[in-house]
Amino acid sequence: MKFTEFGFDPRLMEGIDASGYEDATPVQEQVIPLVMQGKDVIASAQTGTGKTAAFLLPLIHKIISTPHEDHTNNALVVVPTRELAIQIAQNLEGLSYFTSVSSIAVYGGGDGNAFVQEKKALSQGADLVICTPGKMMSHIKMGYVKLSGLKYLVLDEADRMLDMGFYDDIMFIIKHLPPKRQNLLFSATMPPKIRELARKILHQPAEVNIAISKPNERIRQEAFVVYDTQKIPLVKYLLQKKEFKSVLIFCSSKLSVKQLTRDLKRARLNADEIHSDLDQEKREEVLMRFRSRRLPILVATDILSRGIDIDNIELVINYDVPHDGEDYVHRIGRTARAEADGTAYTFVSQREQRKFQAIERLIGNVVPKATIPPELGETPSYNTAPSGGNRSGKRRFNKPRSNRNKTR
Ligand code: AMP
């Protein structure tokens, strides 16, 4: 479906053209007409499906083409992380470039200057406010946020927000909004607690289901079954064997992010780290270097697994097995974005084997196992028996692989 078919304002069409979008993605095709009709929507759609533009485009169109009060905030987009808020704000800037839409991103970790700017925008009224729940709640509590004319509420990555414990903050924000408004809820997964939230907030919503709990087929996935002590030598081996332009390594704790980064630096690899102990400025600076390819290796906690859009990551390494299948899909989904292909390696230690088997069941696929180079020593066997892993998988695990195939 072409964007010309939605009946968007010509100024918005210019921004869409300039952003290089030609055809609408499936989530856009389904969500945009519903939002244009004024319906509440609950959509299960993951990052990478084009969900951001699915809500931004119709909201920008409505804001610029219908009369509205100037001195109020018009639309509120609530998101789980600062990084996602910044990314959506950047997306918005591109799409709305030829319009007069005003916007502000409101998130924690900024300095006094950022606070003054946020306060000013929120008390004068911005067309679109993109915010993290905690920071928005603090502003509302101070009493100057103009919400009387607010017409649109978007909850993005709602499942993630609930996982992060933002339920009360979200409900606090909603209590301060006018009851008559259009509500959109996006979530990668639809567990019962999201349904419950939707029942409380949405009014006769239309439902759109684009969730793909399966990894993109263009991602080449491999797992290395290793002992914990082999993880660092293996990561160094893989990174030294081939010069990658862009590698994202996920660890499940800040501690292992820090330790691994230190080891990689010692091995003279150009690596840096990102996690919640860094201040906002440092996080943005690291991300910018990574995006612009000046930094080829970034070691991260799950802070980056969802929502962050960095193009053309060649390789994702799961240094630890992610907690569940959704996290796995999100993490490896950082590669093979847009048209590019990508590779995802997962290191599976002995105690992580069960967790990884559960992931394989969830994604409905057995991830091929690669053997590590002999100089890194013997590896444990992959025990598929106890929790009823699927049989075809067993056959594949035992298939010998040549050294050349293993680590490329
Ligand atoms: P999202 O799922 O919103 O994070 O979007 C993923 C990426 O797809 C972003 O880089 C968007 O700019 C891009 N994108 C969104 N919609 C389209 C489209 N219709 N055509 C091409 N790229 C798009």
Side-chain angles (χ1 to χ4, degrees), residues 337-384:
R337 307 277 279 176
E339 299 306 319
D341 291 336
T343 302
Y345 293 142
T346 303
F347 293 1
V348 187
S349 71
Q350 277 175 303
R351 66 189 154 77
E352 293 171 315
Q353 289 194 8
R354 247 165 210 260
K355 201 153 71 164
F356 195 63
Q357 282 154 20
I359 290 174
E360 290 182 314
R361 278 197 296 279
L362 190 122
I363 62 172
N365 242 327
V366 171
V367 176
K369 307 297 177 295
T371 37
I372 69 172
E375 62 266 32
L376 298 185
E378 288 280 306
T379 53
S381 58
Y382 193 61
N383 184 5
T384 59

Side-chain angles (χ1 to χ4, degrees), residues 308-323:
I308 293 305
D309 180 38
I310 301 172
D311 287 333
N312 303 326
I313 294 174
E314 280 178 283
L315 173 64
V316 168
I317 298 179
N318 289 314
Y319 187 78
D320 303 305
V321 173
H323 292 300

Side-chain angles (χ1 to χ4, degrees), residues 46-49 212-221 328-330 332-344 363 365:
Q46 295 174 337
T47 301
T49 56
I212 22 148
S213 283
K214 308 254 181 273
N216 181 331
E217 281 177 5
R218 287 201 311 269
I219 307 172
R220 194 166 64 88
Q221 302 171 60
Y328 178 77
V329 174
H330 279 292
I332 73 170
R334 305 304 89 213
T335 184
R337 307 277 279 176
E339 299 306 319
D341 291 336
T343 302
I363 62 172
N365 242 327

Side-chain angles (χ1 to χ4, degrees), residues 236-338:
K236 283 194 217 158
Y237 171 85
L238 292 168
L239 296 177
Q240 279 164 340
K241 188 164 172 277
K242 181 182 162 192
E243 199 174 317
F244 291 100
K245 292 194 182 68
S246 190
V247 184
L248 186 52
I249 306 176
F250 285 111
C251 301
S252 42
S253 73
K254 285 182 247 182
L255 200 68
S256 47
V257 166
K258 290 175 190 172
Q259 191 183 349
L260 178 60
T261 310
R262 219 173 18 243
D263 282 325
L264 295 178
K265 282 180 174 166
R266 271 201 206 119
R268 301 188 164 278
L269 286 157
N270 187 0
D272 213 332
E273 62 194 44
I274 188 164
H275 47 76
S276 57
D277 279 355
L278 302 180
D279 65 30
Q280 182 62 17
E281 204 179 324
K282 177 70 185 162
R283 278 153 71 165
E284 280 172 36
E285 183 263 324
V286 173
L287 257 185
M288 190 140 78
R289 273 192 290 131
F290 186 62
R291 272 186 214 273
S292 65
R293 297 280 174 103
R294 276 176 293 141
L295 173 70
I297 304 167
L298 181 59
V299 188
T301 48
D302 271 322
I303 208 171
L304 278 195
S305 76
R306 294 187 188 216
I308 293 305
D309 180 38
I310 301 172
D311 287 333
N312 303 326
I313 294 174
E314 280 178 283
L315 173 64
V316 168
I317 298 179
N318 289 314
Y319 187 78
D320 303 305
V321 173
H323 292 300
D324 58 40
E326 290 292 346
D327 280 346
Y328 178 77
V329 174
H330 279 292
R331 281 186 181 190
I332 73 170
R334 305 304 89 213
T335 184
R337 307 277 279 176

Side-chain angles (χ1 to χ4, degrees), residues 82-138:
R82 309 154 189 195
E83 282 74 14
L84 187 55
I86 295 170
Q87 187 179 299
I88 294 178
Q90 285 167 346
N91 215 194
L92 172 65
E93 207 176 304
L95 294 171
S96 66
Y97 191 79
F98 299 97
T99 74
S100 55
V101 158
S102 61
S103 65
I104 179 94
V106 172
Y107 49 85
D111 54 16
N113 252 344
F115 179 83
V116 171
Q117 265 187 342
E118 288 172 9
K119 179 177 173 185
K120 192 169 163 211
L122 292 171
S123 44
Q124 287 178 348
D127 290 324
L128 270 136
V129 178
I130 299 145
C131 61
T132 51
K135 192 64 192 294
M136 191 64 201
M137 189 170 79
S138 326

